[in-house]
Amino acid sequence: MKKGTVYEGTIERVDFPNKGIVYIPEEDRYVTVKNGIPGQKVRFVINKFKKGNAEGRLLEVLEKSPLETRGPVCSIFPACGGCMYQTMPYEEQVKMKEGQIRRIMDEAVEGEYVFEGVKSSPKEFGYRNKMEFSFGDEYKDGPLSLGLHKKGSTYDVLTAADCRLVHEDMNRILVCVLEYFRERNVSYYKKMQHVGYLRHLLLRRGDTTGEILVNLVTTTQEEHDLQPLVKALLELELEGRIVGILHILNDSLSDVVKSDETRVLYGQDFFYEKLLGLEFKITPFSFFQPNTKGAEVLYETVREYIGDIHGMTVFDLFSGTGTISQVLAPVAREVVGVEIVKEAVEAAKENAARNGISNCKFIAGDVFEVLDGLEEKPDVIVLDPPRDGIHPKALPKILSYGVERIVYISCKMTSLARDLEMMQIAGYRVEKMTAVDQFCETVHIECIALMSRVKN
């Protein structure tokens, strides 16, 4: 088997994340081909070998999968890489993700454990309360576009005017902003040359409150009067209500959405969202689960997994805006949240006060460093780390507390599998595990594992 050779085959299954497995009889070996659906007959070219495994790049879908029983729901499928599985019925997506988790976790977990299946999202479409759209063009020197990157490209941007992952309000705002800048022939920021003005449109919308925060991210390379845009946005017919329009200035060379300076063009720099009867104030960059209704299922599961914490101290590590802390606080003696993003910690403190919760303490800093200075000792620990899991220096420190129960929430199952290795060596075992599909139509899923200490 050589690079550049073209083959045809059927995708037998899809492993996490998005790795189609194709058997090639004439070579008697398997090849990984991304961006496919189980059952599709595909044509692909071998483009690399990794640790002895062959990887192919998808060239063409020759035959649809028997699982593809519905048509695309938006105009930029399949060129956009966002919603990989929208042509599959939702039940089949859930089944596929369940198989992916079992294949990884059955290998990573020592001994017997209970797998409780995948809990579906209450909403299949229109569930995202946050979306980052990019400015660019669909092809070199084409007209201005605003939306999502083309699959496999860091440059070409497809206009996502009818994205089904978000509420219709967000699509209307996107079209309004795009038309405004197109009419004025305003430039977008070119990442390689570091020139241009428009960078991103960050939209956040409370699923339960309908409050919308519009964040336009640009460089400081040009000056434009944005008041006519504010007027146009406020005149839109929306189901929800725009509570703030912000101009975020970002001159960093890397393609990240961040703020060097934030100017409020209208209203306020935050919005409110409700979750499990609690109210949360959310700022442009503070972390909040992107699927509000799915997050309720997730946090109810965490509450169930953590069990009776009456009179106990809970450490909520990587606590974001303190949602989990506040969900657990009513039944705990004290909850200590640790989060590296200062803005999120300030929001967490304010949210706790707003919800009348006085037994939560939030600390800004790196978990690895903060734990050294804490006098409190936890009885139970909740972990909700970023996608890459827990830093290998921080994990031994967390495990050294020797708590009886740990609940680990993971948005990347391979990171959880890696961290389980050290946790099991340290004397913990996985009792049970489940998952909540917070990211319908996509490759992602949120896993929850309950671990108990079996030996010192």
Side-chain angles (χ1 to χ4, degrees):
M1 188 175 272
K2 293 177 184 166
K3 274 189 190 179
T5 314
V6 174
Y7 292 95
E8 292 179 8
T10 300
I11 297 174
E12 292 187 6
R13 67 171 196 272
V14 174
D15 285 346
F16 177 83
N18 184 26
K19 292 177 180 173
I21 308 299
V22 183
Y23 179 65
I24 309 297
E26 60 264 41
E27 303 286 351
D28 190 28
R29 68 184 295 178
Y30 287 94
V31 177
T32 300
V33 182
K34 288 189 171 181
N35 300 324
I37 284 173
Q40 281 179 339
K41 187 177 179 187
V42 293
R43 210 165 126 264
F44 57 94
V45 60
I46 302 299
N47 64 339
K48 60 178 161 180
F49 292 90
K50 206 170 172 183
K51 294 178 183 171
N53 296 319
E55 293 187 13
R57 179 169 55 81
L58 182 69
L59 296 173
E60 186 187 355
V61 176
L62 301 170
E63 286 175 25
K64 283 196 340 181
S65 161
L67 296 176
E68 292 183 271
T69 56
R70 61 186 190 183
V73 297
C74 78
S75 60
I76 55 175
F77 178 86
C80 166
C83 292
M84 284 297 307
Y85 305 121
Q86 58 171 271
T87 53
M88 289 170 69
Y90 185 47
E91 309 75 51
E92 292 295 338
Q93 295 178 36
V94 169
K95 259 192 238 171
M96 180 181 70
K97 289 181 178 183
E98 196 163 296
Q100 291 173 350
I101 297 166
R102 288 307 297 258
R103 285 192 289 277
I104 288 171
M105 294 307 165
D106 286 357
E107 204 172 298
V109 175
E110 292 173 9
E112 295 291 310
Y113 74 106
V114 177
F115 182 70
E116 298 185 326
V118 172
K119 299 182 180 186
S120 301
S121 169
K123 289 170 91 168
E124 186 187 351
F125 293 107
Y127 60 83
R128 282 197 70 97
N129 57 39
K130 176 189 177 185
M131 205 67 157
E132 285 175 12
F133 295 111
S134 300
F135 286 94
D137 51 23
E138 287 192 23
Y139 51 89
K140 195 168 168 24
D141 302 323
L144 182 68
S145 57
L146 174 56
L148 301 164
H149 285 281
K150 199 179 277 189
K151 197 187 298 173
S153 171
T154 52
Y155 299 103
D156 303 338
V157 173
L158 301 163
T159 292
D162 59 349
C163 178
R164 288 291 306 279
L165 293 193
V166 297
H167 191 279
E168 182 57 31
D169 284 355
M170 289 202 197
N171 291 325
R172 287 189 181 131
I173 290 166
L174 178 145
V175 170
C176 174
V177 171
L178 177 60
E179 285 176 353
Y180 180 85
F181 288 115
R182 261 189 189 169
E183 282 167 12
R184 286 157 181 78
N185 208 22
V186 176
S187 69
Y188 73 89
Y189 179 73
K190 295 186 175 175
K191 288 179 279 193
M192 295 301 283
Q193 297 97 315
H194 308 301
V195 293
Y197 180 67
L198 299 166
R199 296 192 76 152
H200 298 94
L201 179 67
L202 168 62
L203 299 179
R204 304 196 73 160
R205 183 187 187 279
D207 190 59
T208 53
T209 61
E211 294 189 354
I212 303 165
L213 200 56
V214 179
N215 307 273
L216 176 70
V217 186
T218 76
T219 66
T220 58
Q221 292 182 25
E222 298 173 17
E223 283 287 327
H224 292 275
D225 179 12
L226 298 175
Q227 281 313 309
L229 173 62
V230 171
K231 185 173 182 291
L233 286 168
L234 295 176
E235 285 171 356
L236 286 174
E237 282 190 24
L238 303 173
E239 192 182 303
R241 180 173 66 93
I242 293 174
V243 295
I245 301 172
L246 311 184
H247 181 198
I248 294 170
L249 304 173
N250 173 16
D251 281 319
S252 68
L253 297 181
S254 60
D255 190 33
V256 290
V257 182
K258 64 185 266 300
S259 170
D260 297 333
E261 183 195 337
T262 299
R263 298 171 182 169
V264 180
L265 303 178
Y266 166 81
Q268 61 205 34
D269 62 354
F270 61 89
F271 71 103
Y272 289 112
E273 177 64 308
K274 288 185 176 154
L275 191 150
L276 293 176
L278 299 169
E279 190 170 62
F280 295 92
K281 176 184 177 182
I282 304 166
T283 51
F285 298 109
S286 58
F287 176 78
F288 193 83
Q289 290 287 354
N291 178 345
T292 304
K293 293 283 188 286
E296 291 193 327
V297 176
L298 180 76
Y299 294 153
E300 280 171 339
T301 306
V302 170
R303 206 153 53 180
E304 175 205 323
Y305 270 34
I306 207 164
D308 182 12
I309 50 172
H310 188 75
M312 293 186 183
T313 296
V314 180
F315 276 15
D316 176 15
L317 305 181
F318 316 97
S319 55
T321 46
T323 39
I324 292 174
S325 298
Q326 290 172 68
V327 166
L328 298 177
V331 286
R333 183 174 69 82
E334 184 189 28
V335 182
V336 179
V338 181
E339 167 61 48
I340 199 163
V341 181
K342 284 180 183 166
E343 187 187 356
V345 171
E346 291 311 308
K349 288 175 181 174
E350 203 175 313
N351 287 330
R354 168 173 295 277
N355 291 314
I357 294 168
S358 56
N359 61 334
C360 277
K361 180 165 108 177
F362 296 103
I363 302 161
D366 189 310
V367 165
F368 178 62
E369 292 163 3
V370 169
L371 293 182
D372 276 342
L374 280 178
E375 288 176 15
E376 294 97 334
K377 293 282 183 283
D379 299 296
V380 180
I381 293 174
V382 176
L383 302 168
D384 188 4
R387 193 160 292 250
D388 289 334
I390 301 167
H391 193 283
K393 282 185 179 175
L395 194 48
K397 199 168 281 194
I398 292 165
L399 297 172
S400 70
Y401 286 112
V403 299
E404 292 299 319
R405 293 193 303 283
I406 295 173
V407 176
Y408 190 133
I409 304 156
S410 170
C411 56
K412 186 179 178 184
M413 61 184 90
T414 46
S415 299
L416 170 60
R418 184 204 65 217
D419 290 346
L420 283 180
E421 187 179 356
M422 191 187 286
M423 295 171 91
Q424 289 171 143
I425 290 168
Y428 285 87
R429 75 175 184 91
V430 177
E431 279 195 23
K432 56 181 178 177
M433 193 181 287
T434 186
V436 178
D437 186 23
Q438 293 218 83
F439 310 100
C440 322
E441 321 310 314
T442 80
V443 301
H444 306 291
I445 190 159
E446 202 98 10
C447 296
I448 313 161
L450 171 65
M451 309 196 68
S452 59
R453 188 165 66 96
V454 286
K455 59 181 186 284
N456 291 321

